[in-house]
Amino acid sequence: MPEGPTIVLVREKLLPLVGKTVQKVAGYESASKRGLRKRKLTGIQTWGKHLLLVFGDRTLRVHFLLFGSLAVNPDTPRRAKLVLHFNAKDSIAFYLCALELIDEPLVDHYDWSIDILSDQWKSAAAVKKIRNKGNTALCDCLMDQTIFSGVGNIIKNESLFRSELHPLARAAQVPAEDLKKLVKEVRRYAKSFLRDKKKGVLEKHWQAYEQEECPRCHIPLQKKILGKSKRRCYYCNNCQERY
DNA sequence: ATAAATGTTAAGAA
DNA sequence: CTTCTTAACATTTA
């Protein structure tokens, strides 16, 4: 389910419910979320992989982890962690996910300049943070949500391939120009991911992720679990600079 | 049937 | 004290 762009699409899907009031809270984890009853959904925001349902001064934070999901007005009933029933027959059901209430202003809680899809995104700050990561492999720098909030394994692999950098290149050894290129590519591909996913053609434009062969030089792509993050890396030993 | 997948956190070990 | 490893969460698809 996740990666930042997917959460942005979930937000768009839920927008028609803004303005409605929660009449009933259900689900096997509803006890701790009873405080949402009678509250009006005043807005929806996202921060990286976080979906933020704003109810005035209280916000429900939803994180879908690896295989979480949600449904609007589900027709086939299924065990849900939380169900928010609104006016009449509108509802949102949350299945596997991490739910949390935030009772402070979101601007104090989140820094949107590190959200790869935000208007406030600051690429120079990301470059600076990577440069301070010493021996950390680029594949781990990219998965660091305090640098790139919203990047997941797909965006990681595609950005590294497209900027021609090896997942095991060490942060401090990569020239600044290359890091700039990488950070720019993360932002560019995240937007592309969003457009493609909306059109249902996300997989068609993958150049490295889950691919067998390098689209540039046509040798087989490497597929290995790398880095501290221990996630799949798809890369070309020929086209991606390791330093 | 079994494994692996767009992820994160917390507890325990080293 | 810090860093690393492991488990837990529990669904869907190949």
Side-chain angles (χ1 to χ4, degrees), chain A residues 21-52:
Chain A
T21 299
V22 175
Q23 299 298 354
K24 190 177 130 195
V25 179
Y28 67 87
E29 215 180 73
S30 57
S32 58
K33 307 294 178 294
R34 295 244 183 265
L36 294 174
R37 212 173 74 88
K38 294 292 175 198
R39 281 187 175 252
K40 185 200 273 189
L41 180 62
T42 54
I44 308 178
Q45 299 190 51
T46 63
W47 182 84
K49 299 166 189 168
H50 297 207
L51 174 69
L52 302 166

Side-chain angles (χ1 to χ4, degrees), chain A residues 2 12 19 27 39-40 45 58 61 75 104-105 109 122 144 150 157 172 175-176 181 184 198 200 212 237 242:
Chain A
E12 289 178 10
R39 281 187 175 252
K40 185 200 273 189
Q45 299 190 51
R58 173 169 290 168
R61 190 199 85 179
D75 33 16
E104 63 171 319
H109 208 84
K122 294 227 166 47
D144 185 338
N157 277 294
K181 198 165 85 177
K184 223 176 161 186
K198 199 183 277 200
E212 300 283 330
N237 272 330
R242 184 161 181 168

Side-chain angles (χ1 to χ4, degrees), chain A residues 138-200:
Chain A
L138 288 186
C139 64
D140 288 325
C141 294
L142 281 162
M143 295 300 268
D144 185 338
Q145 302 296 297
T146 68
I147 304 180
F148 297 104
S149 177
V151 166
N153 209 29
I154 297 173
I155 297 176
K156 175 194 84 181
N157 277 294
E158 290 296 320
S159 308
L160 283 170
F161 180 80
R162 290 158 194 242
S163 56
E164 301 175 30
L165 288 166
H166 195 286
L168 287 181
R170 303 284 167 183
Q173 299 182 14
V174 180
E177 280 313 304
D178 285 14
L179 289 183
K180 276 187 200 167
K181 198 165 85 177
L182 173 64
V183 169
K184 223 176 161 186
E185 195 55 51
V186 168
R187 170 89 165 159
R188 202 198 63 73
Y189 180 71
K191 289 180 175 178
S192 172
F193 183 128
L194 179 57
R195 285 192 301 269
D196 287 351
K197 175 108 186 168
K198 199 183 277 200
K199 288 189 241 159

Side-chain angles (χ1 to χ4, degrees), chain A residues 80-228:
Chain A
K81 213 165 200 186
L82 180 71
V83 187
L84 298 179
H85 293 278
F86 293 90
N87 306 330
K89 55 195 177 224
D90 292 311
S91 70
I92 310 173
F94 300 92
Y95 307 104
L96 206 171
C97 56
L99 300 165
E100 210 163 298
L101 291 180
I102 300 172
D103 279 315
E104 63 171 319
L106 291 182
V107 285
D108 296 345
H109 208 84
Y110 289 107
D111 175 1
W112 268 275
S113 75
I114 64 173
D115 175 353
I116 56 166
L117 284 169
S118 168
D119 292 340
Q120 297 172 44
W121 168 251
K122 294 227 166 47
S123 55
V127 171
K128 210 173 276 180
K129 283 187 203 163
I130 298 176
R131 302 207 68 178
N132 288 330
K133 287 287 247 178
N135 273 335
T136 306
L138 288 186
C139 64
D140 288 325
C141 294
L142 281 162
M143 295 300 268
D144 185 338
Q145 302 296 297
T146 68
I147 304 180
F148 297 104
S149 177
V151 166
N153 209 29
I154 297 173
I155 297 176
K156 175 194 84 181
N157 277 294
E158 290 296 320
S159 308
L160 283 170
F161 180 80
R162 290 158 194 242
S163 56
E164 301 175 30
L165 288 166
H166 195 286
L168 287 181
R170 303 284 167 183
Q173 299 182 14
V174 180
E177 280 313 304
D178 285 14
L179 289 183
K180 276 187 200 167
K181 198 165 85 177
L182 173 64
V183 169
K184 223 176 161 186
E185 195 55 51
V186 168
R187 170 89 165 159
R188 202 198 63 73
Y189 180 71
K191 289 180 175 178
S192 172
F193 183 128
L194 179 57
R195 285 192 301 269
D196 287 351
K197 175 108 186 168
K198 199 183 277 200
K199 288 189 241 159
V201 296
L202 178 66
E203 296 82 354
K204 279 191 184 165
H205 297 151
W206 284 339
Q207 294 177 21
Y209 185 77
E210 290 188 343
Q211 303 306 297
E212 300 283 330
E213 180 182 277
C214 174
R216 292 211 180 96
C217 71
H218 305 291
I219 65 169
L221 281 183
Q222 302 293 307
K223 171 187 173 181
K224 291 204 172 110
I225 307 274
L226 299 179
K228 283 187 194 162

